[in-house]
């Protein structure tokens, strides 16, 4: 006799915003919803999580009273079809800390740490989704073989709802206004 794995029915049906909002935090952890369908991501590595946490802590410390930086929570990009993403780092307006769901207009910057298996999504798909949602800045952090992360920055062109490439940083990242911070990512 062998055990048969059966995926829950909600993994095969489109999810509405109302259905998703009724789920518990535990049900929502580790998944994203893209065009109404559940996308399960593998657990991130310790290096991935550490890099995201260091970046979030540095941004949070530099943000001042008007902005917060956090890791791993839902960002509602659109309601129909439902698209919820869980960026690795999010910088959002402090006065929206208790507003649920977090929407693009609450966000200044999202950052994704690229891991094996997320390359295409983080380099192409999410860039387009975040730009169309109107999020002003997108950072993509690549974990280079040398151990020193590469940080690719993108700035939104509001007229075209596309990102233009910004600066590329290695090792030390100098964050521009509204922040003033140097982040030594070389110590990861």
């Amino acid at each position: 006799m062998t055990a048969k794995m059966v995926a829950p029915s909600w993994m095969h049906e489109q999810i509405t915003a109302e259905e998703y909002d009724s789920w518990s935090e535990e049900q929502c952890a580790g998944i994203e919803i893209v065009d109404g369908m559940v996308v399960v991501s593998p657990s991130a590595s310790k290096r991935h999580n550490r890099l995201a946490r260091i970046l979030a802590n540095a941004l949070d410390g530099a943000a001042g009273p008007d902005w917060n930086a956090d890791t791993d929570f839902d960002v509602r990009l659109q309601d129909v079809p439902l698209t919820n993403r869980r960026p690795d780092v999010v910088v959002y307006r402090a006065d929206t800390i208790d507003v649920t769901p977090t929407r693009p207009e609450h966000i200044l910057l999202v950052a994704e740490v690229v891991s094996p298996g997320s390359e295409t999504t983080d380099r192409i798909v999410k860039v387009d989704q975040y730009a169309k949602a109107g999020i002003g800045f997108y950072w993509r952090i690549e974990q280079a073989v040398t151990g020193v992360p590469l940080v690719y920055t993108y700035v939104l062109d509001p007229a075209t709802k596309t990102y233009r490439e910004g600066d590329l940083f290695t090792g030390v990242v100098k964050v521009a206004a509204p922040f003033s911070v140097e982040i030594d990512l070389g110590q990861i």
Side-chain angles (χ1 to χ4, degrees):
M1 183 182 217
T2 61
K4 183 179 177 185
M5 294 233 356
V6 178
S9 63
W10 53 261
M11 291 188 76
H12 303 286
E13 301 169 0
Q14 268 199 318
I15 305 300
T16 66
E18 294 78 24
E19 289 172 313
Y20 186 78
D21 291 342
S22 73
W23 293 358
S24 69
E25 255 185 69
E26 292 79 27
Q27 287 174 296
C28 298
I31 66 169
E32 294 179 315
I33 309 292
V34 179
D35 293 331
M37 300 303 292
V38 174
V39 177
V40 179
S41 300
S43 295
S45 69
K46 290 178 193 174
R47 181 176 303 281
H48 176 113
N49 290 337
R50 179 171 168 70
L51 182 54
R53 184 176 42 82
I54 288 170
L55 181 60
N57 288 344
L59 289 169
D60 196 53
D66 295 332
W67 299 96
N68 294 335
D70 279 310
T71 59
D72 194 36
F73 67 86
D74 285 340
V75 175
R76 178 77 48 92
L77 298 180
Q78 65 185 35
D79 287 321
V80 178
L82 178 61
T83 298
N84 258 23
R85 286 294 189 180
R86 295 182 74 86
D88 293 312
V89 178
V90 180
V91 177
Y92 60 96
R93 289 193 346 247
D95 63 350
T96 65
I97 194 166
D98 293 320
V99 174
T100 302
T102 302
R103 300 215 177 252
E105 58 267 21
H106 304 148
I107 296 172
L108 175 68
L109 174 140
V110 292
E112 295 285 358
V113 178
V114 178
S115 292
S118 74
E119 295 96 340
T120 301
T121 302
D122 291 341
R123 292 178 186 152
I124 299 169
V125 177
K126 288 183 180 180
V127 176
D128 185 54
Q129 289 175 338
Y130 294 144
K132 284 182 178 166
I135 296 172
F137 299 91
Y138 176 68
W139 288 3
R140 188 183 83 236
I141 296 91
E142 301 272 347
Q143 301 179 65
V145 178
T146 62
V148 178
L150 302 172
V151 180
Y152 296 85
T153 65
Y154 301 88
V155 179
L156 183 67
D157 176 350
T160 63
K161 292 272 186 160
T162 59
Y163 287 116
R164 65 172 170 74
E165 290 187 19
D167 295 322
L168 170 64
F169 298 97
T170 61
V172 175
V173 176
K174 294 181 181 180
V175 183
F179 306 107
S180 175
V181 66
E182 287 189 12
I183 304 168
D184 186 356
L185 295 175
Q187 300 300 313
I188 306 297

